[in-house]
Amino acid sequence: MNCPHAAAHQATPGGGAVVIDPMVQDLDGETARLRDAGPLARIELLGVPAWTVTRHAEARQLLVDPRLVKDLDAWGLWQSGAVTHAWPLIGMIDAGRSMFTVDGEEHRRLRTKISQAITPRRLEAIRPDIEKFTEELLDALAEQGKDGVVDLKSVFAQPLPMRVVGMLMGVDEAEYPMLTKKYKAFFSMLTPQEERLALLAELDVFYAALVRKKTAQPTDDLTSALILADEGGEPLTEEEVVGNLKAMVAAGHETTIGLILNAVRALLAHPDQLRMVLDGEIPWETVIEETLRWDTPTTHLLMRFATEDIQVGDQVIAKGEGVVISYRVIGRDVEQHGVDADAFDITRPTPIRHMTFGHGPHICPGAALSRVEAGIALPALFDRFPGLTLAVPDEELRKLPVMTQNDMESFPVLLNG
């Protein structure tokens, strides 16, 4: 850790902090420890202290509180120099100017552009493309798995959302492997910080070139729509379009990878529930919502900062302190979801009221797209391979060393049991 002295700048009220494991060796155990720590828990992120929200009700309250902002300059540890660009997670926060890093009127201005670009009509228009991509990848899966074990992640769950978001952005298909590789390295805790910062600079150059190309020759894609959008105030600058694209590609494909794999894993671990889905007793939409609640694609969302003291129950988030939203813990909140919140159960009462895609002004703009992709991919996968099984015991599946995303190293399967 490059700034171990940071902890000295903030006290740890109520006892020791829960240390968030960068290697993600025991996500269920970490989730339980955070839930037991209370609605507002003190955590340590690679030597840097923060608060995290672990309850549904408190998260709903804080996610609409204007005293919590995305502005990095409101963070006391950043102002004091205790946290610098040497901290491995800074790229999640200091990610350039976009709708993800501003608040208030500026956030509304930038988000309006996204809303113009990702509409229900556009999602319906690209549905045939998603179905086509899905069938092509299932063909590849069948070919590679005909003689035995095949990795469902690398052949199917990972390339599908990258193809979709790449198509939406107007990125050449030849660039998809490069983007996949760069984002994987960016998120991994095994990547040296100097390399991670260089990756961010390379992505800025890539997206800036894309924006200039689309400015000169607009086409029917999201990048051109962001450039040409004419509602909601001043047009976006090149920096703002680049920031939006960089973050949306990251969030768009990573979230859907996790959603697809976590749903498959949950169903294979609960064959009685899988049978109910395949028999048509439970709709796939319910599977998707229960997966989003139970095993969220995003574990911890970084970070908001208090512009003044904020009382939460009997605790106080002091001005300048950072706040993380721990969506996986929130999804296991027994006060919201019942005493069986730790159980995957597609028969629980619907609608399943989770907040995995956020709440309030910064709610995820790509939530509908992720649901559409999973709603096409999952039934198509099990329709083609109803005998799909894990090729290793479930406990041998390993999480990637990523502190913010809930992703697996690989997902080896046998297509026909």
Side-chain angles (χ1 to χ4, degrees), residues 42-61:
R42 181 60 98 185
I43 60 172
E44 183 182 302
L45 295 163
L46 299 177
V48 171
W51 293 101
T52 192
V53 190
T54 68
R55 297 287 195 275
H56 185 99
E58 283 77 7
R60 283 183 65 89
Q61 168 193 338

Side-chain angles (χ1 to χ4, degrees), residues 304-383:
R304 288 169 168 80
F305 311 103
T307 57
E308 59 183 83
D309 291 358
I310 302 173
Q311 186 84 32
V312 181
D314 59 358
Q315 294 173 300
V316 175
I317 303 169
K319 178 181 178 179
E321 290 190 314
V323 179
V324 173
I325 312 297
S326 289
Y327 283 114
R328 193 175 194 272
V329 190
I330 292 166
R332 304 291 185 96
D333 182 1
V334 296
E335 295 180 10
Q336 174 68 18
H337 301 292
V339 294
D340 64 342
D342 283 329
F344 177 80
D345 182 8
I346 59 175
T347 68
R348 69 177 62 248
T350 54
I352 301 165
R353 299 190 183 280
H354 61 79
M355 60 168 60
T356 295
F357 287 117
H359 175 67
H362 284 278
I363 192 168
C364 176
L369 175 61
S370 189
R371 285 182 167 108
V372 168
E373 291 179 64
I376 291 171
L378 290 169
L381 173 66
F382 281 98
D383 183 61

Side-chain angles (χ1 to χ4, degrees), residues 68-75 89-111 114 186 200 204 236-237 239-248 301-305 307 361-363 365:
L68 275 181
V69 300
K70 291 294 193 80
D71 182 3
L72 178 61
D73 288 333
W75 193 12
L89 296 176
I90 195 63
M92 308 276 186
I93 305 168
D94 188 21
R97 183 175 173 77
S98 75
M99 61 174 278
F100 300 93
T101 59
V102 298
D103 302 282
E105 288 299 326
E106 280 298 281
H107 172 261
R108 282 186 285 275
R109 169 180 162 265
L110 297 182
R111 190 178 179 93
I114 303 297
F186 168 73
L200 285 173
D204 282 339
L236 269 64
T237 65
E239 178 193 3
E240 290 167 342
V241 177
V242 167
N244 278 338
L245 293 176
K246 185 169 61 174
M248 288 175 66
L301 188 66
L302 312 185
M303 189 183 291
R304 288 169 168 80
F305 311 103
T307 57
H362 284 278
I363 192 168

